[in-house]
């Protein structure tokens, strides 16, 4: 009979073999012997389910199906890097550092085209893994990350720390998966990065396990331990059992630039996709001195490889109607692999673009793609133009409603101006109910389409009349009473949507999520926004004339006005409450010192709009001192008074939570 100690000892033994195999790449036992140990562990767990350790190697194959991913606020922001595309940018980066009187050495690492995650260990046990998300808040993917065999479930020493890793799909695995998909007639994975992202965000961790992802750890985010430099940090990580990112040290950036062609050539031999290199200051003390901007450190820079180009054939053009009536052409290409992705389509933006590029159907074209950037048609190879190449004609009628199309003089966009054009309504409805809008789950694209076909949805506001057709809905194909009730409940709940999400849901041209939120925070109520002039809207930071015009145009259209009236009659949306109750910063006193990337006036406005006060002198009544570059004596005073000192990143977090 195995004891609990035997069980734990067996886990330790198997984890040791995992480390040898997946991290060191030096297996210490045969596969058969490993399987025997693994089976033994499984049988102990079957006999004693109450002993099961969450970090047991058997957990690597996935377990219960998740019902979504829980958001995780990172303990410290996961910064992103500024990009550079040429040697001159790198020299400028070095120059800025030298101007500050600093002489660091530099670490060079591959910029792996994967997915960044934060891994939290307590007493040596993996307790949480979260995606980067927006750098502040990610998603909990612990169960999925446990299946990645190069990520240790237990460290070789019982230390507590949070590290940052890049999860990727090895290229060899990517090709194997695609071969298998091709044979089974499945849809091919476009590129390794998307495949890795898709694999990590599986509700069923068993699927993640089957994708055989891998990972490199490249940084410590939180630890009590001080480090002299980055290389020391990597050694430490390696000692703990992590598979660390390959790194090399250079005395200067010019030495790196000299080595660039050689390093770029290494790319071909790697089993992972890289889209560039990362150059970091090695010394920790110098990093501290250089500091960070709002979202990126001043001590590191990404160097992206030049775009890759491939030649293919333009086989056709597809025209589709968008939410705002814009009819956009898309190039249908003979599929070609560019920079690791299979490209079969590329946006042609508008009719003028087609004329400017002199495109004909049947043309040989050069496709350009750089990293994450959307592929573009670079140019036509006119020398290869076939005799039967066809001129691309602008459709005289809308592909959805067959009404005449218009191109407003001075505007490049081709439009369908039919207010009840089904394609536009469909896109608007889909956008309205989307996650970042009214968040009505259960109203997917296809269901919206069939509800439109049946005549239940002729306007956005009709969504709220669906309850009058509950009986008919229940009789629809693929629908039951339960799902209809659930949908109607979702629709009812969406009436509580706050102003900012509602504004985004309306699908006003040019108005993204962030600006919808700014607009809502500035005006507080829908009626104030409806009455606002172009000038008043432009007074908001970051709002130009184009977006201000689009907002005013939207609210002055009679059909939109009718829609808003119908929705308002239902109590939609919920206006923002007054400052005092809305913001946790109301009544707090801030002092701002030092210089920032944004104008100080904007910071003051933002704080005032949240109900906080901005004072010029530090006193005992001060709640926060926001410190930028080269802070003055106010910082010292705050320190001596024991007042909370925050940097820009912490400030942004406070404001976001306010
Ligand atoms: Zn139309």
């Amino acid at each position: 009979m195995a004891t609990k100690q035997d069980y734990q000892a067996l886990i330790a033994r198997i984890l040791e073999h995992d480390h040898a195999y997946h991290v060191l790449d030096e297996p210490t036992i045969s596969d058969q012997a490993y399987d025997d140990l693994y089976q033994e562990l499984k049988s102990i767990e079957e006999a004693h389910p109450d002993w099961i350790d969450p970090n047991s190697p058997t957990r690597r194959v996935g377990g219960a199906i998740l019902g979504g991913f829980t958001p995780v606020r990172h303990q410290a922001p996961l910064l992103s890097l500024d990009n550079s595309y040429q040697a001159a940018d790198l020299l400028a980066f070095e120059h800025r550092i030298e101007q500050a009187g600093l002489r660091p050495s530099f670490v060079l690492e591959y910029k792996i085209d994967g997915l960044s995650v934060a891994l939290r260990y307590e007493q040596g046990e993996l307790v949480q893994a979260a995606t980067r998300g927006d750098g502040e808040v990610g998603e909990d993917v612990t169960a999925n990350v446990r299946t990645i065999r190069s990520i240790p479930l237990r460290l070789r020493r019982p230390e507590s720390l949070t590290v940052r890793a890049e999860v990727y799909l090895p290229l060899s695995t990517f090709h194997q998966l695609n071969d298998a998909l091709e044979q089974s007639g499945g849809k091919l994975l476009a590129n390794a990065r998307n495949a890795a992202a898709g694999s990590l965000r599986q509700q069923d961790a068993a699927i993640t396990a089957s994708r055989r992802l891998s990972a490199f750890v490249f940084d410590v985010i939180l630890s009590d331990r001080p480090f002299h430099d980055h290389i020391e940090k990597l050694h430490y990580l390696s000692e703990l059992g992590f598979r660390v990112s390959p790194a090399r040290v250079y005395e200067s950036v010019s030495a790196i630039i000299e080595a660039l062609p050689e390093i770029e050539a290494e790319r071909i031999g790697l089993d992972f996709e890289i889209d560039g290199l990362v150059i970091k200051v090695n010394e920790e003390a110098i990093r501290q001195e250089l500091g960070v901007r709002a979202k990126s450190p001043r001590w590191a820079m990404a160097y992206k490889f030049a775009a890759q180009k491939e030649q293919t054939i333009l086989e056709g053009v597809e025209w589709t109607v968008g939410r705002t009536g814009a009819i956009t052409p898309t190039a249908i290409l003979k599929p070609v692999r560019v920079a690791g992705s299979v490209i079969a389509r590329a946006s042609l933006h508008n009719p003028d673009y087609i004329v400017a590029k002199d495109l004909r159907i049947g043309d040989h074209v050069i496709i350009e793609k750089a990293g994450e950037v959307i592929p573009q048609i670079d140019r036509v190879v006119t020398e290869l133009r076939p005799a039967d190449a066809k001129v691309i004609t602008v459709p005289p009628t809308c592909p959805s409603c067959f009404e005449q199309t218009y191109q407003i003089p001075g505007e490049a966009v081709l439009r369908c101006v039919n207010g009840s054009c089904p394609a536009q309504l469909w896109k608007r409805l889909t956008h309205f109910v989307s996650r970042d809008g009214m968040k009505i789950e259960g109203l997917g694209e296809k269901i919206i389409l069939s509800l439109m076909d049946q005549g239940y949805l002729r306007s956005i506001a009709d969504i709220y009349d669906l309850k009058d057709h509950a009986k008919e809905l229940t009789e629809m194909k693929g629908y039951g009473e339960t799902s209809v009730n659930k949908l109607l409940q979702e629709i009812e709940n969406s009436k509580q949507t706050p102003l900012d999400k509602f504004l985004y849901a309306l699908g006003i041209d040019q108005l993204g999520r962030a600006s919808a939120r700014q607009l809502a925070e500035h005006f507080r109520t829908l009626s104030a926004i409806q009455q606002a002039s172009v000038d008043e809207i432009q007074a908001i930071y970051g709002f130009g004339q184009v977006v201000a015009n689009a907002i005013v145009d939207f609210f002055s259209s009679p059909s939109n006005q009718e829609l808003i009236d119908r929705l308002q009659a239902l109590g939609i949306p919920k206006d923002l409450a007054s400052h005092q109750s809305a913001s946790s910063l109301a009544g707090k006193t801030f002092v701002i010192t030092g210089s920032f990337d944004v104008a100080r006036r904007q910071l003051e406005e933002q704080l005032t709009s949240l109900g906080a006060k901005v004072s010029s002198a530090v006193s005992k009544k001060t709640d926060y001192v926001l410190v930028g570059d080269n802070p003055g004596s106010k910082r010292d005073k705050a320190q001596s008074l024991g007042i909370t000192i925050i940097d820009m990143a912490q400030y942004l977090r406070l404001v976001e939570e306010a």
Side-chain angles (χ1 to χ4, degrees), residues 321 398 400-401 416 418 421 424:
V321 192
C398 169
S400 173
C401 67
C416 166
N418 173 9
C421 171
Q424 290 179 49

Side-chain angles (χ1 to χ4, degrees), residues 261-279:
E262 209 174 299
I263 299 164
E264 195 166 345
E266 291 170 7
R267 193 176 181 184
I268 301 157
L270 301 174
D271 194 25
F272 42 86
E273 197 90 65
I274 59 173
D275 60 353
L277 302 166
V278 178
I279 294 151

Side-chain angles (χ1 to χ4, degrees), residues 265-426:
E266 291 170 7
R267 193 176 181 184
I268 301 157
L270 301 174
D271 194 25
F272 42 86
E273 197 90 65
I274 59 173
D275 60 353
L277 302 166
V278 178
I279 294 151
K280 301 171 178 171
V281 165
N282 189 18
E283 292 78 9
E284 210 45 54
I286 299 184
R287 287 187 181 186
Q288 292 296 331
E289 205 149 328
L290 289 166
V292 296
R293 297 183 197 87
K295 296 220 180 265
S296 60
R298 285 200 172 81
W299 43 262
M301 186 145 226
Y303 172 78
K304 295 265 206 156
F305 295 141
Q308 274 180 278
K309 295 181 181 185
E310 291 299 335
Q311 190 172 324
T312 187
I313 293 167
L314 176 63
E315 294 185 328
V317 174
E318 198 178 276
W319 299 81
T320 45
V321 192
R323 202 172 69 221
T324 55
I327 302 175
T328 314
T330 302
I332 308 301
L333 304 163
K334 184 163 182 244
V336 61
R337 176 174 287 276
V338 193
S341 309
V342 176
I343 309 297
R345 303 164 69 85
S347 177
L348 296 174
H349 308 287
N350 56 58
D352 291 1
Y353 182 90
I354 295 175
V355 174
K357 296 261 173 191
D358 185 27
L359 291 170
R360 313 261 168 97
I361 292 167
D363 265 340
H364 290 256
V365 290
I366 305 290
I367 306 298
E368 178 182 58
K369 183 176 183 292
E372 289 302 290
V373 183
I374 297 162
Q376 297 264 11
I377 292 189
D378 180 41
R379 63 183 178 89
V380 173
V381 189
T382 31
E383 310 87 77
L384 295 178
R385 173 165 289 165
D388 60 349
K390 254 177 62 194
V391 172
I392 299 162
T393 47
V394 171
T397 58
C398 169
S400 173
C401 67
F402 307 108
E403 294 249 339
Q404 199 187 338
T405 56
Y406 288 91
Q407 200 169 357
I408 299 164
E411 235 197 51
V413 188
L414 184 72
R415 287 184 189 281
C416 166
V417 292
N418 173 9
S420 48
C421 171
Q424 290 179 49
L425 178 61
W426 180 52

